[in-house]
C-alpha cells in the first residue's frame, strides 16, 4: 500500500474539521439522526424566508423532496446575503486570456446580476420555469446570466462552448428553451475564437421554441445578425440596478446540465434549488477549508458541473473570491497557472488530472519559479489521478505541505461525495479516501452485499442526499432506469453511480472507473453510443464500436473499431479524417477518434450485442479472459487482435 500523507496542521487556521475525531463525530451524528442533522445544516447555512416543514420526504421515491415548503433564493444566498457585511469584498477575480484583470466586488456583482435579471424579465419576458440556454465563454456575463436566471427562477442550461452547433441544437430542442444567451466569441491563446456562428447554425434548423438570442460582444469580430438577435451591451444600459428578491420553493428547479449516458441521447440532469446550494456551500467549506477571505481558483469551464458548483455557486454562496479565467493553462507558457497563483495569492487550486499531467509534462520545473506559498489546498476531479502526476502535484506544486483533495463526484451528485477533507483526512496518492459526512457511499454487489476488501464493486449511494439529481428533464422513466435500475440495498433500489470502486482495510475508497459504456476523455464524459450514432452517419460504415484506450495525458482516448460496407474502399487514415469531421460537426472536438482500426466484423453475441469488454481488453493489450464461446464467431477475436498490433 502506498504512503499516507497527513495534513500539515499549521497551515489551517480554525478549520471546521480539526482532526479525524471531528469527522467521526459528524458521521456518527448523521448515523444517529440523519434528517435532523441535515435540517440543522440547512438552517445554519441558508436564509429561509419561510421555514421548511419537513427535511426529507421520500414518499414518492426516488423523486425525493428536501426541505419541503421552505422558501429561499439561490441568488440571495450567492450575492445579496453578503452585501451588508462584505459588499466591498471581491466576489470575482476575472483574468482575461491576455492577462488583464477585473476585480468585481459583491456590490458590483449584485448590480450586474440585477440588471441582467431586469433585462431577461422586461425585454425577453422570461418567467419562472422558462429555460435559458447559455452558450458562452468564460467571461463575467456568463456568471451574471446564470445568477440572473436563479434570481428570476428561470432554469439555465449551460452548454459547453466546445460542443458543436448540432449538439447545441439538440439541447435547445430537448429543453424547449425560450432564450439563448451567447457571445460573439472570446479569446484563446492570444487569438479570437467564435461561438455565435454555431448558434446561428443551430437556430437555422428547428429551434422554434427560442424567441430571442441575446449576444454579448466580447471580441467584436464580425458576426451575422439574425431577426431574433439583440445585443446585451445595448439593452443592459437602461436596466435598473435593483431587483426585488423573489423567494422560491426549495424544490423549484435551478438548472439543467446535459451529460452523456449509455444511449445516444444526452440526459438533461435536473438540480433543484435548496438542496443543491446547501451542498455546494458545505463542500466548499468542508473539503477545501475555504473561508470568505480566501481566493479560490477552479480551472474548469462553466459548461461542466465542476464550473457550476465550484466556480459559481459554491464559492459565491460561501462569500469567497472566485477566479474566472478566460484563457488556457499553457498560454503564454506552462507557468501561467503558477504565475496566477503567485499574483492573486490563491489559497485553493482545483483542476483535473489531465491538466496536471499536461503541466507536469510541459513544465515540470515551472512551479519552482513562482512563490506558491499562499496555497493550502490542491484539488483534483473528473478522473483517476495516476501516482506520478499526484506526486508532482504534491511535492512540486504543493511543496509537500498542501493537502490534495481527490474529489469523486458527478454531474448527478451536484457536489463532492467521496473526498478527503483538506484539514483532517490523511491522504494517499490516487485515492478518494472517505465519503463526506452525510453521504452514504457504499461499495456493493448488485444485490446489496458488501464487496470484499480489495475487490471491485459498484459504487452506490444508499440514502438520498440534498444535492441529488431530481430527474432527467422530460424523462422520468429514464431517470429511474439510469440510476435506480441496477443495484438494491436493504431491499430497496439505490442510486448507482455507474462507477466501479474498491475499498481497503481502512475503509478508504479508490475509484476504478466507469462500469458502463461511458468514456472519460480528459475528465469529460462521453457515451460510446453517442459516438457510434455519429459514425453511422458515414455512408461507408456498416457498423462500429468505440472504447476508451489509456492515454498519457487525456487519461482515456477514443479508439474506434470500424466495419466498412466495402472493406477496401478507403484507407485507415482517410477514414479517420472523414469520421472525425463528422464527429466534430455532430458533437464537438471532445469526441474525436484518437485512433481506429478497420476490422472485418465485431465480436458479437448470438443475440447481436457487441462485447465491448473484449475490445477494451484488446486495446489495452490485455489477455482475453472473457468467455468467447458465446460469440457468434469466436475466431473474430484473434483476427482483431492481430489487426491491432
Ligand atoms: C469520474 C465531474 C476518479 C467518474 C465532477 C464519474 C472520477 C465521472 C473522479 C463524472 C475522481 C469524477 N476519481 N474518477 N476523483 N471524479 N470521476 O459528471 O467516472 O463530468 O462518474 O462530473 O467522472 O463526470 P462528470
Amino acid at each position: 500500500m502506498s504512503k499516507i500523507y497527513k495534513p500539515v496542521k499549521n497551515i489551517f487556521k480554525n478549520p471546521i474539521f480539526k482532526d479525524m475525531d471531528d469527522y467521526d463525530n459528524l458521521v456518527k451524528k448523521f448515523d444517529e439522526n440523519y434528517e435532523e442533522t441535515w435540517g440543522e445544516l440547512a438552517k445554519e447555512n441558508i436564509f429561509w424566508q419561510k421555514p421548511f416543514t419537513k427535511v426529507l420526504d421520500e414518499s414518492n421515491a426516488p423523486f425525493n423532496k428536501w426541505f419541503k415548503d421552505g422558501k429561499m433564493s439561490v441568488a440571495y444566498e450567492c450575492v445579496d446575503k453578503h452585501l451588508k457585511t462584505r459588499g466591498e469584498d471581491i466576489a470575482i477575480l476575472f483574468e482575461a486570456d491576455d492577462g488583464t484583470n477585473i476585480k468585481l466586488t459583491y456590490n458590483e456583482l449584485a448590480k450586474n446580476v440585477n440588471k441582467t435579471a431586469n433585462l431577461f424579465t422586461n425585454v425577453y419576458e422570461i418567467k419562472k420555469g422558462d429555460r435559458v440556454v447559455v452558450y458562452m465563454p468564460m467571461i463575467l456575463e456568463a456568471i451574471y446570466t446564470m445568477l440572473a436566471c436563479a434570481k428570476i427562477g428561470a432554469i439555465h442550461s449551460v452548454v459547453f462552448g466546445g460542443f458543436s452547433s448540432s449538439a447545441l441544437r439538440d439541447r435547445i430542442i430537448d429543453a424547449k428553451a425560450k432564450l439563448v444567451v451567447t457571445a460573439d466569441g472570446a479569446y484563446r491563446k492570444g487569438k479570437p475564437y467564435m461561438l455565435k456562428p454555431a448558434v446561428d447554425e443551430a437556430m437555422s434548423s428547428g429551434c422554434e421554441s427560442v424567441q430571442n438570442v441575446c449576444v454579448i460582444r466580447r471580441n467584436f469580430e464580425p458576426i451575422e445578425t439574425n431577426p431574433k438577435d439583440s445585443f446585451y451591451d445595448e439593452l443592459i444600459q437602461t436596466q435598473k440596478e435593483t431587483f426585488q428578491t423573489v423567494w422560491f420553493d426549495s424544490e423549484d428547479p435551478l438548472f439543467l446540465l446535459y451529460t452523456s449516458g449509455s444511449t445516444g441521447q444526452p440526459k438533461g440532469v435536473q438540480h433543484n434549488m435548496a438542496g443543491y446550494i446547501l451542498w455546494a456551500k458545505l463542500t466548499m467549506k468542508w473539503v477545501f477549508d475555504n473561508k470568505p477571505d480566501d481566493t479560490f481558483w477552479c480551472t474548469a469551464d462553466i459548461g461542466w458541473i465542476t464550473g457550476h458548483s465550484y466556480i459559481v455557486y459554491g464559492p459565491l454562496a460561501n462569500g469567497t473570491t472566485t477566479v474566472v479565467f478566460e484563457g488556457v493553462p499553457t498560454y503564454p507558457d506552462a507557468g501561467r497557472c503558477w504565475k496566477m497563483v503567485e499574483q492573486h495569492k490563491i489559497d485553493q487550486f482545483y483542476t483535473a488530472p489531465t491538466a496536471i499531467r499536461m503541466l507536469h509534462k510541459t513544465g515540470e520545473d515551472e512551479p519552482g519559479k513562482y512563490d506558491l506559498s499562499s496555497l493550502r489546498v490542491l484539488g483534483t476531479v473528473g478522473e483517476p489521478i495516476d501516482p506520478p502526476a499526484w506526486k508532482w502535484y504534491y511535492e512540486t506544486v504543493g511543496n509537500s505541505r498542501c493537502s490534495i483533495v481527490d474529489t469523486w463526484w458527478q454531474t448527478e451528485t451536484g457536489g463532492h461525495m467521496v473526498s478527503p477533507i483538506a484539514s483532517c483526512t490523511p491522504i494517499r496518492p490516487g485515492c478518494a479516501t472517505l465519503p463526506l459526512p452525510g453521504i452514504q457511499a457504499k461499495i456493493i454487489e448488485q444485490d446489496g452485499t458488501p464487496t470484499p476488501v480489495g475487490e471491485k464493486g459498484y459504487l452506490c449511494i444508499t440514502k438520498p442526499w440534498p444535492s441529488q439529481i431530481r430527474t432527467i428533464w422530460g424523462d422520468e422513466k429514464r431517470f429511474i432506469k439510469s440510476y435506480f435500475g441496477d443495484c438494491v440495498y436493504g431491499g430497496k433500489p439505490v442510486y448507482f453511480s455507474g462507477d466501479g470502486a474498491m475499498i481497503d482495510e481502512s475503509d478508504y475508497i479508490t475509484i476504478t472507473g466507469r462500469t458502463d459504456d461511458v468514456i472519460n476523455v480528459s475528465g469529460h464524459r462521453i457515451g460510446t453510443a453517442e459516438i457510434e450514432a455519429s459514425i453511422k452517419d458515414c455512408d461507408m460504415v456498416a457498423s462500429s464500436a468505440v472504447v476508451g484506450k489509456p492515454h498519457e495525458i487525456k487519461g482515456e482516448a477514443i479508439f474506434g473499431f470500424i466495419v466498412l460496407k466495402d472493406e477496401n474502399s478507403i484507407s485507415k487514415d482517410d477514414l479517420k479524417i472523414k469520421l472525425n469531421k463528422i464527429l466534430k460537426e455532430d458533437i464537438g472536438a471532445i469526441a474525436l477518434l484518437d485512433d481506429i482500426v478497420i476490422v472485418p466484423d465485431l465480436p458479437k453475441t448470438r443475440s447481436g450485442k457487441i462485447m465491448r469488454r473484449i475490445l477494451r481488453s484488446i486495446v489495452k493489450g490485455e489477455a482475453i479472459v472473457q468467455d468467447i464461446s458465446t460469440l457468434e464467431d469466436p475466431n473474430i477475436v484473434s483476427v482483431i487482435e492481430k489487426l491491432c498490433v
Side-chain angles (χ1 to χ4, degrees):
M1 199 185 286
S2 53
K3 189 176 157 188
I4 288 206
Y5 298 76
K6 290 202 170 143
V8 175
K9 289 281 173 190
N10 61 12
I11 63 172
F12 297 100
K13 291 198 188 74
N14 302 320
I16 298 177
F17 295 86
K18 288 182 294 302
D19 48 38
M20 285 309 277
D21 286 346
D22 287 344
Y23 169 87
D24 291 336
N25 289 339
L26 188 53
V27 168
K28 194 160 159 254
K29 202 169 159 197
F30 270 111
D31 284 345
E32 287 164 0
N33 260 317
Y34 193 67
E35 284 187 38
E36 218 175 286
T37 308
W38 279 119
E40 273 172 32
L41 288 166
K43 279 184 207 151
E44 275 165 30
N45 285 280
I46 293 178
F47 172 75
W48 297 94
Q49 193 257 346
K50 181 172 166 267
F52 49 88
T53 56
K54 190 163 174 41
V55 174
L56 170 62
D57 176 1
E58 283 187 89
S59 58
N60 191 23
F63 300 95
N64 302 318
K65 287 192 163 67
W66 283 88
F67 314 121
K68 211 173 148 182
D69 306 318
K71 294 266 185 210
M72 47 77 68
S73 157
V74 168
Y76 180 81
E77 288 301 319
C78 292
V79 188
D80 309 272
K81 198 178 183 177
H82 309 306
L83 300 185
K84 256 195 209 136
T85 49
R86 333 199 42 241
E88 285 305 301
D89 288 359
I90 307 299
I92 302 179
L93 198 161
F94 172 71
E95 173 144 333
D97 184 60
D98 69 3
T100 50
N101 293 143
I102 298 174
K103 290 182 181 169
L104 195 85
T105 64
Y106 273 95
N107 281 330
E108 289 165 327
L109 176 64
K111 284 181 195 161
N112 284 298
V113 171
N114 289 345
K115 283 164 92 171
T116 310
N118 279 314
L119 169 68
F120 290 178
T121 311
N122 302 333
V123 179
Y124 302 129
E125 295 176 353
I126 297 298
K127 300 198 173 54
K128 182 183 162 189
D130 286 341
R131 272 80 60 210
V132 175
V133 162
V134 182
Y135 189 65
M136 291 254 252
M138 291 289 293
I139 55 175
L140 289 170
E141 288 81 357
I143 320 287
Y144 305 158
T145 299
M146 292 167 77
L147 292 170
C149 287
K151 191 134 210 172
I152 62 182
I155 305 169
H156 62 68
S157 167
V158 183
V159 178
F160 173 57
F163 278 121
S164 69
S165 64
S166 120
L168 171 66
R169 183 195 54 219
D170 292 348
R171 286 157 176 76
I172 293 174
I173 293 174
D174 190 74
K176 296 197 183 63
K178 189 168 164 187
L179 173 68
V180 175
V181 186
T182 189
D184 46 8
Y187 295 95
R188 188 189 292 132
K189 297 191 186 177
K191 294 195 185 78
Y193 72 92
M194 302 307 286
L195 284 173
K196 175 71 168 39
V199 177
D200 295 340
E201 211 178 311
M203 289 294 295
S204 68
S205 55
C207 288
E208 282 88 13
S209 61
V210 177
Q211 294 176 358
N212 290 284
V213 175
C214 173
V215 186
I216 287 135
R217 280 188 269 228
R218 165 69 185 145
N219 61 21
F220 294 88
E221 293 293 308
I223 48 170
E224 241 178 59
T225 310
N226 296 310
K228 289 183 182 174
D229 296 352
S230 46
F231 288 94
Y232 182 87
D233 53 357
E234 291 169 10
L235 297 166
I236 202 73
Q237 284 169 17
T238 52
Q239 301 303 321
K240 280 203 308 221
E241 288 178 352
T242 53
F243 194 99
Q244 180 73 40
T245 298
V246 186
W247 305 103
F248 296 102
D249 195 279
S250 301
E251 287 292 341
D252 279 333
L254 178 63
F255 65 81
L256 308 180
L257 187 55
Y258 284 81
T259 188
S260 286
S262 42
T263 72
Q265 187 66 22
K267 312 181 267 199
V269 172
Q270 180 182 322
H271 281 288
N272 290 359
M273 295 190 175
Y276 172 79
I277 199 68
L278 174 65
W279 195 231
K281 179 174 175 178
L282 282 176
T283 48
M284 261 325 276
K285 296 207 268 192
W286 292 1
V287 171
F288 293 119
D289 186 52
N290 176 261
K291 308 271 172 47
D293 290 337
D294 290 346
T295 302
F296 178 84
W297 183 17
C298 163
T299 68
D301 187 281
I302 47 152
W304 309 111
I305 190 69
T306 309
H308 283 59
S309 302
Y310 301 108
I311 294 177
V312 185
Y313 289 110
L316 295 175
N318 206 30
T320 198
T321 300
T322 182
V323 175
V324 172
F325 177 43
E326 183 189 36
V328 296
T330 46
Y331 177 83
D333 57 51
R336 178 70 181 263
C337 290
W338 320 127
K339 184 168 180 237
M340 281 176 68
V341 168
E342 175 181 279
Q343 189 183 345
H344 305 308
K345 301 200 169 44
I346 306 286
D347 294 83
Q348 298 96 357
F349 177 74
Y350 191 31
T351 195
T354 297
I356 300 168
R357 286 190 291 265
M358 193 167 63
L359 293 169
H360 180 197
K361 201 171 167 201
T362 55
E364 189 166 1
D365 302 323
E366 287 293 322
K369 298 181 187 162
Y370 300 90
D371 175 6
L372 306 182
S373 59
S374 60
L375 287 170
R376 300 204 297 284
V377 182
L378 298 170
T380 86
V381 57
E383 42 174 330
I385 177 161
D386 45 292
W390 194 98
K391 201 161 171 275
W392 180 75
Y393 203 31
Y394 187 81
E395 291 173 357
T396 308
V397 179
N399 200 13
S400 302
R401 52 187 279 286
C402 298
S403 292
I404 293 192
V405 289
D406 181 347
T407 61
W408 175 83
W409 60 296
Q410 311 178 289
T411 305
E412 292 86 344
T413 69
H416 305 148
M417 300 296 277
V418 179
S419 170
I421 289 175
S423 59
C424 72
T425 314
I427 50 176
R428 273 216 327 262
C431 179
T433 73
L434 297 165
L436 290 172
I439 301 302
Q440 303 294 318
K442 301 246 179 329
I443 319 298
I444 54 175
E445 301 303 301
Q446 283 180 291
D447 64 3
T449 46
T451 304
V453 163
E455 284 176 28
K456 272 190 208 176
Y458 294 82
L459 175 50
C460 292
I461 317 295
T462 59
K463 268 192 184 179
W465 68 102
S467 64
Q468 180 168 9
I469 171 178
R470 292 304 192 266
T471 188
I472 291 174
W473 182 254
D475 202 342
E476 294 189 342
K477 279 202 189 110
R478 189 171 175 203
F479 167 66
I480 297 174
K481 190 167 172 278
S482 304
Y483 303 108
F484 297 91
D486 294 291
C487 298
V488 290
Y489 184 78
K492 279 202 286 192
V494 287
Y495 177 89
F496 170 48
S497 60
D499 280 316
M502 277 190 315
I503 200 150
D504 68 16
E505 295 81 10
S506 47
D507 285 342
Y508 270 29
I509 293 172
T510 298
I511 312 297
T512 54
R514 302 290 306 188
T515 61
D516 54 8
D517 292 326
V518 171
I519 305 179
N520 191 331
V521 184
S522 304
H524 303 313
R525 277 161 70 171
I526 174 112
T528 53
E530 255 174 87
I531 304 170
E532 288 160 13
S534 286
I535 292 177
K536 254 201 199 117
D537 289 349
C538 174
D539 53 14
M540 302 175 108
V541 173
S543 61
S544 74
V546 300
V547 297
K549 181 180 178 178
H551 185 277
E552 201 190 350
I553 302 283
K554 298 183 203 172
E556 271 189 309
I558 306 170
F559 189 98
F561 294 86
I562 318 287
V563 183
L564 291 173
K565 286 179 186 159
D566 174 359
E567 202 171 336
N568 298 316
S569 52
I570 187 167
S571 73
K572 176 184 147 172
D573 291 344
D574 288 345
L575 179 63
K576 187 178 147 192
I577 293 169
K578 207 173 159 75
L579 295 177
N580 275 342
K581 188 166 173 280
I582 296 174
L583 285 164
K584 193 160 183 203
E585 278 168 17
D586 265 7
I587 306 174
I590 59 166
L592 298 190
L593 294 159
D594 198 64
D595 200 0
I596 62 167
V597 58
I598 298 172
V599 292
D601 203 353
L602 296 167
K604 277 184 269 180
T605 59
R606 283 184 202 104
S607 58
K609 192 173 173 312
I610 297 168
M611 295 280 284
R612 270 208 196 70
R613 255 183 304 148
I614 293 178
L615 297 174
R616 277 198 287 263
S617 299
I618 293 176
V619 294
K620 284 186 193 156
E622 292 171 355
I624 308 292
V625 289
Q626 294 93 346
D627 175 16
I628 57 171
S629 63
T630 57
L631 292 181
E632 196 180 52
D633 171 17
N635 295 326
I636 194 68
V637 176
S638 58
V639 174
I640 297 176
E641 271 181 314
K642 277 191 202 112
L643 288 167
C644 286
V645 279

